[in-house]
Amino acid sequence: METVEAAMAEEEAKKSKMRKKGGFRTMPFIFANEVAEKLAVLGFTTNMLMYLTRQLHMPLAKAATTLTNFGGVSAMTPLIGAFLADSLVGRFWTIAAASLVYQAGMLLLTVSAAMPVFRPPPCSAVGAGAGAGACEEAAPWQLAVLYVALLLNALGAGGYRPCIVAFGADQFDESEAAERARTWGFFNWYYFCNGASQLVAVTAVVYVQDNVGWGWGLGVPTFCMAVSVVAFVAGYPLYRRLDPSGSPFTRLAQVVVAAVRKRRVAIDAATLYENDDMDAPISLYGKLVHTEQLSFFDRAAIVTNGDLMTDASDSKLPPSSPIPNPWRLSTVHRVEELKSVLRMGPIWAAGILAITASSQQNTFSLQQASTMDRRLAPGLSSFQIPAGSMTVFTLLAMLTTLLAYDRVLVPLARRITGMDRGISYLHRMGVGFAVSVAATLVAGFVELHRRESATAAGTTDAGTSPLSAYWLVPQYALHGVAEAFNSVGHLEFMYDQSPESMRSMATALFWLSISLGSYVSTMLISAVHRWSAGADGSNWLPDNINRGRLDYFYWIVTLLQVLNLAYYTICARCYTFKPLQLREVDEDAKPQVEMQEKTSLIEPVKEQEKASPLI
């Protein structure tokens, strides 16, 4: 008993110390870091298709696959960074180290773009008999330099991306209601700063790349990356820094192993094992309580012979204090950690196809823009909008939606639903999925019109279609609205519903859905490329899209998204939120289990009602 009280006192001392740090005063450092980092990343990824096809002379399909693969790896490495942050290093040091790796990758990429030796000769410099249209593709060693730079950037992203959001949210004390409410505003403003930096990247930085040179165009983002490291480290004295609490993968594996070992043991919910002292480091703000779903894993918390041991070698424990063998016995809290992760799975998976749809903006939508009339003001000015800058319409739509959501929709919805956030993140994601369907549907019709316009003007082989690039604005804008709803809602969902000790891992899972979405895009492009191939060598996705059927490809993506929306609707209606018992309660009141709002995609569900299990 004394040990439990000592552990609780130690945790309270840690919390008291942390309350003196953090809060909104740390946001300028974190947001400055995020703005500079995103400016660096988007500064080269937004227009990278043009660099690969025009500077390294890659075929369109190969360039698109390279970018989607890079995006996939960059979104998968966060699992490694999250593991290191949650179990060994902590979020601050993981972010700092990853930023340095990122900086090395950006420097190598800048050097390779600035020095001609790292690129093949221009098309006009190829041998006389080759013709002006023939281009020599980059040599294997030149591509190797590019791939090393991209790999370093992917590794840097692996440490930065899963930690920065969770680290920012850590600055607010969840044990206080007012602080907990500010967390949700943080997600909106985090994404707003993210979008603002992207807006600068796809306008100013892309303009420099297209009109000044790629050396300067990549040098500016590299400098911004260095600024992001300095900005983040400068706030070190003010941050709340939570200590790592051990490997989350190990704890999940221990629950599974213990449950399998006791698979034939009868379950008695009244006798399940709990140990507040053991769970204190991984439940700083509150512990999870028992739920009926996924009851097979409850067997891990049943005490059987040999599960408890007495550790006489530990001088901190009385000789008679029994401790559990973690591979044979888990606490209810640890069992519920596993259940929470499994319950999140179906909702998490629904985000994959949404990424598959939005990823086309940096590949085929970019190629569409490059074949259209991109004059800023036809008839008044000859200035052309860079094709890579067309995503500015996505960002403007996203920023406008975020502002309208925070300032208009939330106050209005709050009066109707009574929820602090206005609508639940499940509703928010559902709106995003629906808008994403509309975005790809519109893209298909616009491409049909663009191709017919090119055919009528006789520009099927080469040249620019007379159709204005402003026809692409609706599809770009709809993708921006979808991202404001879906991505922010998805991020909120992953952070809130993940166990407290696994929040870096939860953010990594958010990025993993982006990774898988990029890979699905790659596989879909390859499959359509092969399936649509004709005997004459034609297919739907040739280098010259004027001779392809990109509209068919967009409509295939639309059909997949319709099916995904139906799947998500079913999962959202069945989802049950994690039950959390707060550590700090009113002394005059009995401990209450704070059952978070249980809202489905279609209609609210009373807090006392339990939805059917997903798995």
Side-chain angles (χ1 to χ4, degrees):
M1 184 65 182
E2 293 178 358
T3 305
V4 175
E5 293 177 351
M8 295 290 288
E10 183 179 353
E11 292 300 324
E12 287 298 322
K14 288 182 180 179
K15 290 169 66 176
S16 177
K17 183 178 180 181
M18 285 189 295
R19 287 193 190 101
K20 299 176 183 178
K21 297 185 177 183
F24 272 115
R25 60 178 178 170
T26 62
M27 293 301 104
F29 300 98
I30 295 174
F31 286 154
N33 173 251
E34 175 63 17
V35 168
E37 190 272 342
K38 281 296 177 290
L39 185 61
V41 176
L42 271 296
F44 80 90
T45 57
T46 300
N47 207 28
M48 202 63 179
L49 185 73
M50 297 294 103
Y51 179 76
L52 297 182
T53 55
R54 296 179 180 177
Q55 300 295 320
L56 299 184
H57 306 155
M58 277 189 184
L60 175 61
K62 181 178 179 180
T65 300
T66 298
L67 288 181
T68 51
N69 285 342
F70 165 68
V73 173
S74 297
M76 189 171 292
T77 52
L79 288 173
I80 301 174
F83 172 79
L84 293 175
D86 282 343
S87 61
L88 298 173
V89 184
R91 293 182 185 120
F92 175 84
W93 293 111
T94 302
I95 295 170
S99 297
L100 293 177
V101 176
Y102 226 140
Q103 183 70 48
M106 291 295 298
L107 282 172
L108 181 58
L109 195 62
T110 301
V111 170
S112 67
M115 300 181 65
V117 68
F118 291 101
R119 303 190 305 277
C123 297
S124 59
V126 180
C135 298
E136 177 184 332
E137 190 174 347
W141 73 268
Q142 293 171 326
L143 292 178
V145 173
L146 170 72
Y147 294 149
V148 170
L150 294 180
L151 178 61
L152 288 173
N153 286 334
L155 292 176
Y160 180 89
R161 289 179 176 177
C163 298
I164 190 65
V165 178
F167 185 76
D170 285 345
Q171 305 310 307
F172 302 98
D173 188 353
E174 291 188 28
S175 64
E176 298 178 4
E179 289 278 296
R180 192 162 59 248
R182 292 191 183 102
T183 303
W184 308 115
F186 162 77
F187 284 110
N188 254 354
W189 287 107
Y190 164 82
Y191 227 87
F192 184 87
C193 290
N194 186 317
S197 58
Q198 293 182 51
L199 186 61
V200 175
V202 302
T203 51
V205 176
V206 170
Y207 178 82
V208 172
Q209 291 169 351
D210 285 352
N211 296 277
V212 179
W214 280 92
W216 282 101
L218 292 175
V220 171
T222 301
F223 174 77
C224 291
M225 188 70 235
V227 172
S228 75
V229 179
V230 175
F232 180 73
V233 174
Y236 179 83
L238 302 177
Y239 296 139
R240 299 176 76 243
R241 300 182 301 277
L242 303 182
D243 295 330
S245 55
S247 170
F249 288 133
T250 301
R251 291 199 302 275
L252 297 180
Q254 288 170 342
V255 174
V256 174
V257 170
V260 171
R261 280 180 169 176
K262 303 174 185 178
R263 57 189 177 276
R264 294 185 177 87
V265 176
I267 300 175
D268 182 1
T271 62
L272 297 180
Y273 181 71
E274 298 195 47
N275 188 326
D276 289 343
D277 187 19
M278 178 179 173
D279 290 334
I282 59 174
S283 58
L284 186 62
Y285 298 119
K287 68 176 183 178
L288 301 176
V289 297
H290 177 252
T291 61
E292 298 295 335
Q293 293 179 324
L294 303 168
S295 59
F296 171 82
F297 297 106
D298 290 340
R299 291 176 171 83
I302 297 175
V303 181
T304 59
N305 292 333
D307 290 351
L308 295 172
M309 306 175 298
T310 299
D311 187 3
S313 64
D314 193 340
S315 60
K316 296 181 181 180
L317 295 174
S320 60
S321 297
I323 59 175
N325 178 347
W327 294 99
R328 293 182 58 90
L329 180 63
S330 295
T331 63
V332 169
H333 177 85
R334 296 177 183 228
V335 171
E336 291 300 324
E337 282 188 330
L338 176 61
K339 289 184 181 181
S340 294
V341 172
L342 293 177
R343 280 194 292 257
M344 290 163 58
I347 299 290
W348 164 82
I352 295 174
L353 282 181
I355 299 301
T356 298
S358 63
S359 64
Q360 309 310 320
Q361 294 179 90
N362 293 324
T363 54
F364 293 116
S365 294
L366 183 63
Q367 191 69 6
Q368 284 177 290
S370 68
T371 65
M372 301 174 74
D373 181 3
R374 290 178 280 108
R375 287 177 294 171
L376 182 63
L380 299 177
S381 172
S382 60
F383 176 80
Q384 288 195 345
I385 303 172
S389 293
M390 288 299 294
T391 52
V392 68
F393 297 108
T394 299
L395 297 172
L396 286 173
M398 183 184 72
L399 294 175
T400 302
T401 304
L402 286 174
L403 282 175
Y405 182 89
D406 188 70
R407 299 300 180 185
V408 180
L409 180 60
V410 170
L412 182 63
R414 187 180 293 140
R415 298 175 185 175
I416 300 173
T417 65
M419 295 171 54
D420 289 338
R421 292 193 297 274
I423 60 175
S424 75
Y425 28 66
L426 290 184
H427 285 91
R428 186 169 187 171
M429 290 173 64
V431 172
F433 283 129
V435 176
S436 185
V437 170
T440 50
L441 181 64
V442 168
F445 284 108
V446 171
E447 169 57 20
L448 178 62
H449 184 42
R450 187 207 64 79
R451 190 173 56 82
E452 291 175 346
S453 176
T455 301
T459 57
T460 55
D461 292 323
T464 301
S465 167
L467 191 67
S468 172
Y470 288 124
W471 277 85
L472 298 176
V473 171
Q475 68 193 61
Y476 277 106
L478 286 171
H479 277 300
V481 174
E483 184 174 1
F485 279 93
N486 188 29
S487 294
V488 180
H490 200 179
L491 195 57
E492 287 181 354
F493 169 78
M494 297 302 295
Y495 181 86
D496 183 64
Q497 290 302 293
S498 65
E500 180 183 318
S501 61
M502 299 183 189
R503 279 172 172 169
S504 294
M505 190 62 61
T507 311
L509 289 175
F510 169 78
W511 287 105
L512 179 60
S513 68
I514 297 177
S515 170
L516 295 178
S518 298
Y519 281 126
V520 170
S521 177
T522 298
M523 291 188 292
L524 188 60
I525 292 171
S526 299
V528 170
H529 206 275
R530 290 194 302 268
W531 179 77
S532 63
D536 58 352
S538 64
N539 62 78
W540 289 359
L541 304 174
D543 287 354
N544 178 10
I545 61 172
N546 288 335
R547 289 188 171 273
R549 294 308 305 252
L550 182 57
D551 49 333
Y552 289 174
F553 175 77
Y554 278 135
W555 289 331
I556 290 175
V557 176
T558 301
L559 177 60
L560 292 175
Q561 289 208 93
V562 170
L563 296 176
N564 188 56
L565 176 60
Y567 161 80
Y568 171 78
T569 303
I570 295 172
C571 293
R573 289 184 63 87
C574 295
Y575 185 77
T576 299
F577 287 73
K578 69 178 184 183
L580 180 68
Q581 178 179 324
L582 297 179
R583 187 178 290 278
E584 292 188 0
V585 296
D586 187 351
E587 296 181 356
D588 297 328
K590 295 181 179 180
Q592 298 287 328
V593 175
E594 183 189 18
M595 296 296 292
Q596 303 177 44
E597 67 272 4
K598 292 179 58 57
T599 52
S600 68
L601 182 64
I602 305 301
E603 60 185 6
V605 181
K606 293 181 180 180
E607 293 183 355
Q608 292 79 9
E609 294 176 349
K610 292 185 177 180
S612 57
L614 288 176
I615 303 175

